[in-house]
Amino acid sequence: MAEPAAPKKSPPPAIICIGMAGSGKTTFVQRLNAHLHEKKRPPYIVNLDPAVKNVPFERNIDIRDSVNYREVMAQYNLGPNGGIMTCLNLFATKIDQVLGILEKRQDSITSILVDTPGQIECFVWSASGAIITDALASSFPAVVAYIIDTPRTTSPATFMSNMLYACSILYKTKLPMILVFNKTDAQDAGFAKEWMTDFEAFQRALRESEGNEEGVGGSGYMASLLNSMSLMLDEFYKHLDLVAVSAMTGAGIDDFMKAVEGKCAEYERDYRPEMERARAKRDEQRVKEKEKELDRLMKDMDVDGASSSRSGRKKSVKVEEEQGVLSDLESSDEEAGQGMLERDDDEGAMDEEEEGLQGRYERTLMESTGDSIPEVLQDESFRRYMNANK
């Protein structure tokens, strides 16, 4: 009896690490890499930061191997952000090669870590960033890890700014997201969990912040704005997982990996069908556009064919008219006895006329003398004389 086939291995998750400059994103990737190596589950790491000088972990694919950041800045006369965006644009043209490599390795790797530039807007809001994330999400369960600097998020205004940015990234990438509150060794993330789950707690913190150095009080337009945004984001928080980690000590990494597993299941349940519907819609729209182009081409060909047939009819009528005129001329010439002769026939007639005249002179002379042709007739000058006076 044949043995049952082994179950097909699910593709490894692609963890896209995004974070503000200074949030500890690269250190978090390093800690995650060390943790997975310790678990005998080494990840496949992709570095997308072209401006970084030293990376504290081994990279399997590095954008710096394909694009030179400083040469791009010098050649295109760009600044730091423009250079990063241009490098990402150039790298995005090779994303199909990157996917080919990842798909070949997917049976031997357990996860894919993607480290993005610290200039978050260069990746999130650029066309190349959207191409890279969409390409990864089309082949692998993709999860966005948004790294937050916990000590700098203790004030309600900064916390709300981070939440709004996370909301914009979520709806821009349309991928499952995990909020990673980093640096918990310096600041506990309990306040963030409370503010995200208890609206009244955030309101109390907002009132207590009145008169602080940031100028955000419990009254005025800023307080009203923060209150409105907290109410708006209350539903948004339900779709996020919050994990407190420390990239320095490694605390919370296991919780993060559990959250990744849950988001992979969410990706398969919610996000993949949505992506397939969007892809089918794009394909349908592309087919419709091709059909429109084909119809337009056929109409153009019909118009050209009709115009050419009309011109053909005009030419045939003109030829018939010309032939009619020529036939009339030929019939009139035939009636008048002046038909056209070919050049050979004309020359033959002239020769016969010339020979008849000379023959008559020769016969007359022969009859009068009773002798053969006199020598004078054999003289060439006499022949020319006779021809000139005939």
Side-chain angles (χ1 to χ4, degrees):
M1 186 175 180
E3 295 181 358
K8 185 179 179 180
K9 182 183 176 183
S10 59
I15 305 172
I16 304 173
C17 298
I18 300 175
M20 297 285 187
S23 62
K25 175 176 52 60
T26 302
T27 309
F28 171 76
V29 174
Q30 179 190 12
R31 173 59 63 179
L32 193 58
N33 178 40
H35 176 80
L36 292 173
H37 272 87
E38 183 182 356
K39 298 291 185 181
K40 307 300 181 183
R41 300 172 57 191
Y44 200 88
I45 301 180
V46 180
N47 175 46
L48 295 181
D49 190 353
V52 65
K53 183 176 290 186
N54 297 316
V55 180
F57 46 80
E58 293 294 330
R59 290 87 52 207
N60 300 98
I61 297 177
D62 197 332
I63 188 176
R64 297 177 299 172
D65 297 335
S66 303
V67 185
N68 191 312
Y69 170 67
R70 295 190 179 278
E71 288 186 3
V72 167
M73 289 178 60
Q75 183 175 356
Y76 296 99
N77 194 22
L78 299 172
N81 290 342
I84 292 174
M85 292 186 66
T86 303
C87 289
L88 288 172
N89 292 338
L90 295 173
F91 185 79
T93 60
K94 302 181 179 181
I95 191 61
D96 56 337
Q97 302 178 18
V98 175
L99 289 179
I101 295 172
L102 294 176
E103 290 173 354
K104 290 180 181 178
R105 306 284 196 280
Q106 64 179 354
D107 293 334
S108 59
I109 59 179
T110 58
S111 59
I112 303 169
L113 301 182
V114 182
D115 189 17
T116 59
Q119 286 77 3
I120 189 172
E121 66 280 356
C122 295
F123 180 80
V124 174
W125 301 109
S126 63
S128 56
I131 292 171
I132 294 172
T133 54
D134 291 345
L136 288 173
S138 64
S139 301
F140 304 95
V143 179
V144 175
Y146 181 56
I147 317 299
I148 300 173
D149 190 348
T150 306
R152 296 183 180 179
T153 318
T154 54
S155 67
T158 310
F159 174 81
M160 187 57 60
S161 299
N162 270 286
M163 294 301 103
L164 287 175
Y165 216 111
C167 180
S168 64
I169 293 173
L170 176 66
Y171 289 105
K172 181 68 170 62
T173 60
K174 297 180 177 64
L175 294 174
M177 176 180 287
I178 302 174
L179 296 181
V180 182
F181 280 84
N182 194 17
K183 304 181 182 179
T184 54
D185 56 306
Q187 175 66 51
D188 185 70
F191 71 93
K193 295 180 180 179
E194 185 181 10
W195 289 352
M196 290 179 64
T197 56
D198 188 357
F199 172 75
E200 294 296 334
F202 182 79
Q203 294 294 317
R204 287 194 302 270
L206 187 60
R207 288 191 296 268
E208 290 172 0
S209 65
E210 183 178 1
N212 61 9
E213 65 275 7
E214 293 184 2
V216 180
S219 60
Y221 76 95
M222 278 297 295
S224 176
L225 178 63
L226 292 176
N227 284 323
S228 301
M229 288 189 295
S230 63
L231 287 171
M232 178 192 67
L233 294 178
D234 187 56
E235 183 68 21
F236 166 71
Y237 295 148
K238 297 179 182 179
H239 301 281
L240 299 178
D241 286 354
L242 186 148
V243 179
V245 302
S246 174
M248 183 65 65
T249 64
I253 298 297
D254 288 329
D255 296 336
F256 173 77
M257 294 307 300
K258 291 179 182 178
V260 169
E261 294 178 1
K263 289 300 179 182
C264 288
E266 181 181 341
Y267 170 87
E268 296 292 342
R269 183 182 66 251
D270 300 331
Y271 287 84
R272 184 181 288 277
E274 183 66 27
M275 291 182 62
E276 291 177 354
R277 285 194 294 269
R279 187 181 297 111
K281 186 176 181 180
R282 289 195 299 268
D283 294 341
E284 182 181 357
Q285 184 66 26
R286 192 177 297 112
V287 170
K288 290 182 179 179
E289 291 177 357
K290 288 183 179 180
E291 291 178 353
K292 289 182 180 178
E293 293 293 334
L294 183 59
D295 293 341
R296 189 179 299 112
L297 178 62
M298 295 301 294
K299 290 180 180 178
D300 293 341
M301 292 177 65
D302 291 340
V303 171
D304 294 340
S307 60
S308 61
S309 63
R310 287 195 298 270
S311 61
R313 288 196 297 272
K314 292 180 179 178
K315 289 181 180 179
S316 62
V317 171
K318 186 176 181 181
V319 170
E320 291 176 356
E321 291 177 354
E322 292 178 352
Q323 291 177 350
V325 171
L326 290 176
S327 62
D328 294 340
L329 291 175
E330 291 175 357
S331 61
S332 61
D333 290 340
E334 291 176 355
E335 292 174 356
Q338 299 177 357
M340 296 179 64
L341 297 175
E342 295 181 2
R343 173 173 292 185
D344 295 338
D345 297 338
D346 192 10
E347 290 177 354
M350 292 177 66
D351 292 339
E352 291 178 359
E353 183 180 358
E354 182 179 355
E355 289 176 357
L357 181 60
Q358 184 177 354
R360 287 195 297 271
Y361 276 109
E362 289 176 354
R363 285 194 301 272
T364 303
L365 288 174
M366 289 175 65
E367 291 175 355
S368 61
T369 59
D371 199 357
S372 61
I373 300 174
E375 295 182 356
V376 68
L377 292 177
Q378 299 178 2
D379 190 8
E380 185 65 27
S381 61
F382 181 77
R383 289 178 177 274
R384 288 198 298 270
Y385 173 79
M386 291 296 297
N387 290 331
N389 292 278
K390 63 179 179 178

